Amino acid sequence: MEPEKCCESGCIPCERDPDGKEPIDLCNYIGGEFVCHSGNEWKNVLEPATGHRFARVPLSTPHDVDSAVKAARAAQPAWGALSQSERVGWLDRIADALEARYEDIASLESRDTGKPISLARAVDAHRSVANFRFFADLLREQEQEIFEMPDATNFVVHKPVGIGALITPWNLPLYLLSWKVAPAIGMGNCVVCKPSELTPMTANLLMQVIDDVGLPAGVVNLVHGDGVGAGAPLVANSDIDLVSFTGGTDTGEKVAASAAPSFKKLSLELGGKNASIVFADCEMDSTVAGVVRAGFLNQGQVCLCGSRVLVEDSIYDEFRDRFVDAVEVMRVGDPSDEDTDLGALISSEHIEKVRGYIELAKEEGGSLLTGGLPCVPTGFEHGNWMAPTVIEGLSPDSRCSTEEIFGPVVTLHRFSGEDEAVAIANNTRYGLAGSVWTSDLERGKRVSEALETGMVWVNTWLHRDLRVPFGGVKDSGIGREGGRWSLGFFSEAMNVCVKHD
Ligand code: TXE
């Protein structure tokens, strides 16, 4: 018997809080207070795995955005005037308080995004804490840059930019939000965060943590909502000095157009269509495992995923067969099950987008080697499920081989020789990341440097040193964050030249 619908969105009865109340209604966090939004519109927050509504997120208005920006502006002078070590102390306290809620982060993130709990722990919760600790340590080590001349000394001073808009997507919610908040406030800025309306829960938890540690009011503010009501007004707000955006390329284009007229400082981390390039001299077992992980981690919903696998002709058949076998043993199911490898996709709209690409692949001449079908685990009939899908036979110029699909879909391509591999890999509007698998490390480095991307891994993937530059080229964005690149982005470098006799 179909369960009755509990609200206009057609979702099914959600788990009631223990006392049977309605799902959690989230609030904005402005000027150190949890406050209601000024509008009366809400968006249901649905569990991707079950379709259950387990919270409601406010669809904030430009008025709410303005209040948050004003609170940030009011707080910035005092915050910017603190010493670096005082601000670093606050990053430490936030990291400690987040670490104490490690399991809450993991379970909320898994519930909110549909990703397996094991991944939410190992990647999302771990990196959210690590981001605050990393930037605290990096700032502690910072020394003033001085350039001596025979008759003068140059002192480089890093000043806060001012008020930052931090806009984040749904695939790695707290991992990406903490990656921006930590260096932004560490460098003396105050910020307004705008998390994705699809996955607001851990951003809400971060505000609870910030409130609990007693961070000065207005240093970090958060406005929930969608792009129209909150995101776009935030970028356009005349008192925003800086925008750090992670999301889709199409949205990034709108953000850039809005930020440009007032010369706001801008960092865009956008989509990707990354190639995993497999040479015949690779170590087969570890390469198959590594390329499967690169293709399907987080259900393929990571901008760095290797969604195109380029395989040298001489080993193509063997690699293809082993790759498909490895894909087919991945366990798709309940995200809360420790043994699950792949969870649900973020939304029904997104799964339709991905399904559309699979249909397009068939029209473009591709052959499905596995997947392409929903695979609904028992008891999760209202979730967004798709079997991991591998397609071969597509032209490298096809839409499915050049456009970002952002789901559990990988296309296989043959190549002969380095030049053809590089040409295929670069044959897309994106330029974010890639990986090269070969026992010849010189070749690995040579091929990597020929790729039009911001990052490449050799014989590994997503092996992250937070000190390195992170970002892409072409339609994958502009700017770099990570390590000193974050400190540089979230500050204005000033040179003071002092003449001496
Ligand atoms: O991103 P959006 P979504 C890609 C992936 C995905 C596509 C859309 O292809 O299918 O982007 O994903 C806010 N001004 N990536 O919908 O729409 C929005 O509310 C200001 C790659 O998540 O770009 C959300 O908080 N803000 C990416 C954030 O922008 C606006 C990860 C991202 O939303 C806005 C995720 C506007 N006009 C998706 N419109 C990666 N690089 O990792 C929306 N927003």
Side-chain angles (χ1 to χ4, degrees):
M1 200 246 301
E2 271 298 302
E4 82 282 1
K5 300 207 181 323
C6 76
C7 62
E8 71 293 343
S9 75
C11 68
I12 57 173
C14 44
E15 289 164 47
R16 288 288 187 276
D17 290 338
D19 54 12
K21 280 192 311 180
E22 276 298 301
I24 309 156
D25 279 355
L26 300 182
C27 295
N28 292 332
Y29 185 70
I30 298 175
E33 300 288 336
F34 286 97
V35 294
C36 293
H37 65 311
S38 61
N40 55 12
E41 287 191 84
W42 298 81
K43 180 178 176 57
N44 291 322
V45 182
L46 308 180
E47 286 179 349
T50 63
H52 280 180
R53 179 185 70 166
F54 75 112
R56 293 198 311 168
V57 68
L59 292 181
S60 299
T61 68
H63 175 74
D64 302 311
V65 167
D66 202 45
S67 304
V69 174
K70 282 188 169 69
R73 180 59 69 189
Q76 199 282 325
W79 179 251
L82 289 183
S83 69
Q84 196 80 287
S85 61
E86 286 172 309
R87 289 198 293 266
V88 164
W90 283 110
L91 297 187
D92 288 333
R93 284 190 279 280
I94 294 170
D96 292 343
L98 269 182
E99 192 151 52
R101 299 199 59 184
Y102 193 93
E103 195 54 32
D104 289 346
I105 297 170
S107 56
L108 259 186
E109 208 70 294
S110 173
R111 203 174 167 198
D112 209 5
T113 63
K115 70 179 72 185
I117 184 70
S118 57
L119 181 65
R121 275 197 200 99
V123 172
D124 300 76
H126 171 76
R127 261 299 292 280
S128 300
V129 176
N131 286 340
F132 279 96
R133 294 217 188 285
F134 167 74
F135 282 109
D137 291 341
L138 188 66
L139 286 164
R140 259 188 280 273
E141 296 155 12
Q142 281 298 296
E143 290 175 1
Q144 170 145 47
E145 286 174 280
I146 292 176
F147 298 94
E148 292 292 359
M149 300 167 77
D151 61 348
T153 300
N154 293 280
F155 300 92
V156 178
V157 179
H158 288 279
K159 298 168 75 170
V161 179
I163 310 306
L166 310 182
I167 303 176
T168 44
W170 47 257
N171 60 334
L172 295 158
L174 191 55
Y175 172 121
L176 291 171
L177 182 58
S178 55
W179 181 242
K180 298 175 188 289
V181 170
I185 66 174
M187 293 306 286
N189 306 286
C190 290
V191 298
V192 179
C193 308
K194 212 302 290 173
S196 173
E197 58 278 25
L198 300 178
T199 54
M201 302 309 288
T202 49
N204 187 59
L205 181 148
L206 178 60
M207 296 308 116
Q208 290 170 348
V209 161
I210 281 170
D211 200 53
D212 291 347
V213 302
L215 187 72
V219 173
V220 175
N221 305 275
L222 180 141
V223 176
H224 287 293
D226 60 14
V228 172
L234 179 59
V235 173
N237 189 292
S238 59
D239 213 8
I240 287 289
D241 303 303
L242 168 151
V243 180
S244 175
F245 173 83
T246 298
T249 292
D250 294 348
T251 308
E253 191 180 328
K254 294 176 191 164
V255 170
S258 172
S262 46
F263 301 103
K264 298 178 199 289
K265 207 166 181 184
L266 185 63
S267 166
L268 297 174
E269 201 276 289
L270 307 176
K273 187 70 177 184
N274 313 302
S276 301
I277 303 173
V278 179
F279 284 94
D281 67 347
C282 72
E283 200 293 308
M284 185 62 84
D285 290 344
S286 58
T287 299
V288 168
V291 173
V292 166
R293 178 169 171 267
F296 294 98
L297 189 81
N298 201 38
Q299 298 74 245
Q301 297 169 140
V302 180
C303 54
L304 300 168
C305 274
S307 52
R308 294 181 292 156
V309 178
L310 282 51
V311 184
E312 192 156 27
D313 253 338
S314 57
I315 62 159
Y316 180 86
D317 292 351
E318 181 196 359
F319 183 88
R320 175 199 56 203
D321 296 347
R322 292 183 61 167
F323 183 76
V324 169
D325 290 347
V327 168
E328 290 187 333
V329 299
M330 284 198 289
R331 291 170 298 261
V332 180
D334 179 358
S336 64
D337 183 332
E338 300 287 346
D339 295 330
T340 293
D341 296 312
L342 295 183
L345 273 69
I346 186 68
S347 68
S348 52
E349 294 79 6
H350 187 58
I351 209 165
E352 284 315 308
K353 168 186 169 185
V354 176
R355 209 169 272 147
Y357 272 107
I358 293 173
E359 292 313 308
L360 176 63
K362 296 173 190 170
E363 294 163 18
E364 292 188 308
S367 311
L368 260 64
L369 299 177
T370 186
L373 300 166
C375 57
V376 182
T378 311
F380 291 86
E381 287 69 23
H382 295 275
N384 313 309
W385 301 98
M386 179 173 287
T389 301
V390 182
I391 302 166
E392 72 171 353
L394 284 168
S395 155
D397 299 323
S398 66
R399 284 185 54 202
C400 287
S401 306
T402 54
E403 295 177 13
E404 183 181 55
I405 298 174
F406 216 66
V409 181
V410 165
T411 58
L412 294 182
H413 306 269
R414 294 170 178 270
F415 70 85
S416 71
E418 289 182 21
D419 292 348
E420 187 180 25
V422 168
I424 295 172
N426 289 337
N427 181 46
T428 171
R429 62 186 273 210
Y430 296 101
L432 189 58
S435 60
V436 180
W437 305 77
T438 173
S439 57
D440 177 347
L441 299 188
E442 276 312 306
R443 169 158 67 183
K445 203 164 169 298
R446 181 172 62 244
V447 170
S448 297
E449 290 179 18
L451 299 182
E452 295 163 357
T453 64
M455 304 164 267
V456 188
W457 284 279
V458 179
N459 296 329
T460 185
W461 177 75
L462 202 61
H463 192 39
R464 290 280 289 114
D465 181 328
L466 305 187
R467 295 169 297 179
V468 305
F470 184 100
V473 298
K474 302 197 291 188
D475 284 8
S476 289
I478 49 175
R480 295 292 182 272
E481 294 184 26
R484 64 179 174 82
W485 287 270
S486 290
L487 304 190
F489 173 67
F490 286 109
S491 65
E492 293 294 5
M494 170 192 234
N495 184 60
V496 179
C497 176
V498 180
K499 181 86 169 53
H500 46 67
D501 299 332

